[in-house]
Structure formats: structure tokens, C-alpha cells
Amino acid sequence: AGMWNPISFVRHNSIWLASEMLESMYMIYPELEKHLNAKFFHPTDLARIFPDNKSANDWDEKSLRPEVSQFLTDKEDKVIRERLIQPHGHSLVTQTGWLDMPCFLNATKEYLSKKNKLVIKEFTEVDAQELLEKQPDTSIIYCTGWQQKHSLFDSWVRVIPHKGQLLTLLIDNLPLKHMVHFGKFLIPLGPNQYKLGATHELEYSTTDITQEAQQELLAELKKIYMGNVQVLNQTSGLRPTMHDRKPVIGFHPLHSQIGLFNGFGSRGVMMVPYFANQFIEHICNKTELNKEANILRYHKK
């Protein structure tokens, strides 16, 4: 769905490296919009509907702490208060939003194609070896998401595919300006259209969309909104996650030209600008990678 949020709603704490990642995002995505001549970056506050009084009270307490006070507010949204079911109230989170991923990817693809910098074809390990033999100063970085498979990494770097499904909805008479989190999330896309997500499926028999997922999402939505809803589209995807929920970046310890940039899970929109810049600095200027994200944390000497 492309949503970003610097707060964990489990403990109402800011997530790992939240400020650093936000700084990179707010610098890079607007610049890319100008460069690619497209609009895909949408900073939008996020309303958190409290599931119970304990959560609401915890929010009030945590919002006074310096590390999260820049994100948590006591502000409310009038439309949410009047149109959605929220017996325990809600408050807004700032520095949140969503990235229109299809628009972003298509604009990037078009730009690179015009520059003759994009090649779409099968690329095997044999191809990689031949390329390195011809161009010994070249680096090859695998950014293959959940489909991570490479003989150099398979035995010690495990990317876990984590399935999620989304719905695109038509909802009349619900003029939301802010995103809403209520266990699931609702993102306003434009006039009467919303994105509803997402499921979290660690075990699944198919990567396709399912009726069960649609029913689950609509049932959750009904807990906060009883009006008419029309399903326009349903999509399914696999998040590339790691067991410690940190990305995996860096080069193989014995093959210094072969690297990975992966494992960003459900926070890719927020994490990638920061870690892409860090990886570039590592390649060009030999700076250190973040130890918690460095691929070497998995390597047993």
C-alpha cells in the first residue's frame, strides 16, 4: 500500500531509526517527483482509533516523552469523530503518509528506459560470473525481494515471504482527509476511493487473492464503519521479511563484488531511501554500514 508510519502501535514507541529514515524520505521523494515529473509522494496524517481505554491512556502518557512527542498528538479529526465508530476515541499521528507505488515505479521505469539504463531479462548466476570476468570492477547487487535465491547466500541469509492482501474500495459519504488505523488501515486515494489493508499471512497455500482475505478485511472495516462499501479491486503481494525485522544489506564476505539489498518487509517505503544512501556511501566512500542491517550479522565465521 506504500504507507509509512514512524510509530509502533503495540507500545506507542517510535520505530527503529525513525527520525533518520524520515529525514531521508522527505529529502529524496520530493526531489524524485521533480526529476521524474510525477506525483506519488503524499504526506498525510494518520488517525489512530484506540481499541480500548488502556491504549488511549497509554497514548496520553507516551505522547509526553521527547522521543515520540514529535509524532503523537492529542488532535482529532471531525469527520472521523462523526462518521466512524470509535468509543474509545482517536488521535492523529504526524509525519505519516503514503507513496503511490504503481505511479512511482512506472515513472522510474519510463525515465530509465528513455536513458537506455533499463534492461529487463533473466539474469542467472552464470550471467553474473561472465559479467564480472569481463568487467572486474563491477559490483552486482541483488534486490530481488521475496524471491531471494542465490547459491552464495541461500545457506545463511533467509528472506521470509510474508503474504498480504489489499482492497480498493468505493465508499460514498465518507470524506476522509486522513489515513485511519484501526488494526487494519484505510487510505484515502481520491474522491470516494480508499485502500483497505492489510492481511498478515505467514502460512498460505496460494499467492493469489482469496475470498477469505476479502471477508476478513471487510469484517474489520465494519467494526468502525457501517455504510455501503463496494470492492473495486483486490491485490496480493509478498513482503520480504527477516526474522529480526531488520533489512539485510552489504557484500558477501568472500565475494566482495556480490551484494544484497533486501529484507525491508512492510516498511520499504520508509527504509529504502535511508539505507540506499548508506549503501551508496559504503560502496563509494568505504563508510561503515549499520551493524543491525549489515549482512555480516548472519555470517558465521
Side-chain angles (χ1 to χ4, degrees):
M3 187 174 75
W4 75 85
N5 168 29
I7 293 296
S8 165
F9 289 139
V10 177
R11 296 181 178 85
H12 295 146
N13 292 333
S14 59
I15 66 169
W16 176 62
L17 297 176
S19 295
E20 292 88 340
M21 291 191 289
L22 285 169
E23 183 180 355
S24 290
M25 280 182 54
Y26 280 83
M27 177 179 66
I28 289 174
Y29 287 130
E31 191 65 27
L32 281 173
E33 284 189 321
K34 297 176 185 176
H35 207 63
L36 301 175
N37 192 29
K39 177 62 180 174
F40 42 76
F41 185 60
H42 302 280
T44 311
D45 286 349
L46 171 64
R48 164 65 166 165
I49 292 181
F50 302 123
D52 48 45
N53 280 328
K54 181 180 181 303
S55 181
N57 292 335
D58 186 50
W59 181 284
D60 290 339
E61 177 189 340
K62 292 288 180 67
S63 65
L64 299 176
R65 299 185 181 182
E67 66 271 18
V68 293
S69 60
Q70 60 181 313
F71 307 124
L72 302 185
T73 77
D74 58 0
K75 296 178 181 178
E76 292 189 345
D77 179 279
K78 182 179 179 182
V79 174
I80 293 173
R81 186 173 65 246
E82 294 177 351
R83 303 286 183 93
L84 299 183
I85 301 169
Q86 30 111 55
H88 307 288
H90 75 277
S91 283
L92 297 181
V93 188
T94 63
Q95 300 187 57
T96 59
W98 64 284
L99 193 79
D100 187 335
M101 287 300 301
C103 177
F104 173 54
L105 294 176
N106 288 335
T108 304
K109 180 179 178 181
E110 181 180 353
Y111 174 82
L112 293 174
S113 296
K114 288 180 179 178
K115 298 283 186 179
N116 293 318
K117 296 292 186 181
L118 180 65
V119 177
I120 299 177
K121 60 179 255 184
E122 183 180 5
F123 187 77
T124 67
E125 291 183 44
V126 173
D127 295 323
Q129 185 60 40
E130 291 178 352
L131 178 59
L132 293 176
E133 289 173 358
K134 293 177 182 177
Q135 302 180 42
D137 293 333
T138 293
S139 294
I140 298 174
I141 301 170
Y142 288 86
C143 315
T144 55
W146 67 271
Q147 300 181 88
Q148 171 60 47
K149 284 187 178 181
H150 194 289
S151 60
L152 289 177
F153 302 106
D154 282 350
S155 63
W156 56 286
V157 181
R158 185 187 173 210
V159 177
I160 306 166
H162 184 181
K163 185 180 179 183
Q165 298 188 56
L166 297 165
L167 301 179
T168 302
L169 306 177
L170 181 66
I171 307 177
D172 293 329
N173 302 317
L174 187 62
L176 291 180
K177 293 183 179 179
H178 298 129
M179 304 182 297
V180 182
H181 188 283
F182 52 98
K184 305 301 183 187
F185 59 77
L186 199 62
I187 301 175
L189 304 177
N192 301 325
Q193 286 200 20
Y194 294 85
K195 190 79 71 177
L196 171 64
T199 62
H200 290 268
E201 305 167 52
L202 285 174
E203 297 182 4
Y204 44 89
S205 58
T206 175
T207 57
D208 298 331
I209 62 172
T210 65
Q211 188 64 29
E212 291 80 6
Q214 182 177 138
Q215 292 171 353
E216 173 191 335
L217 292 169
L218 292 176
E220 289 299 313
L221 179 61
K222 268 195 171 180
K223 293 178 181 179
I224 65 162
Y225 181 71
M226 298 297 292
N228 293 327
V229 172
Q230 179 183 346
V231 177
L232 300 178
N233 189 34
Q234 181 173 353
T235 56
S236 172
L238 295 173
R239 311 171 181 94
T241 65
M242 306 301 294
H243 84 280
D244 60 1
R245 299 193 176 187
K246 302 289 195 305
V248 55
I249 65 176
F251 290 96
H252 193 283
L254 303 179
H255 302 271
S256 60
Q257 294 166 287
I258 306 292
L260 285 185
F261 189 79
N262 208 339
F264 292 92
S266 60
R267 297 191 186 274
V269 162
M270 191 169 175
M271 287 184 169
V272 165
Y274 175 78
F275 283 105
N277 186 64
Q278 187 176 107
F279 205 2
I280 290 167
E281 288 296 316
H282 175 69
I283 294 168
C284 297
N285 300 316
K286 308 302 179 184
T287 58
E288 292 291 324
L289 293 172
N290 182 291
K291 291 182 178 180
E292 292 182 85
N294 196 320
I295 191 174
L296 296 182
R297 74 188 189 272
Y298 288 111
H299 191 252
K300 297 179 180 179
K301 297 181 181 179

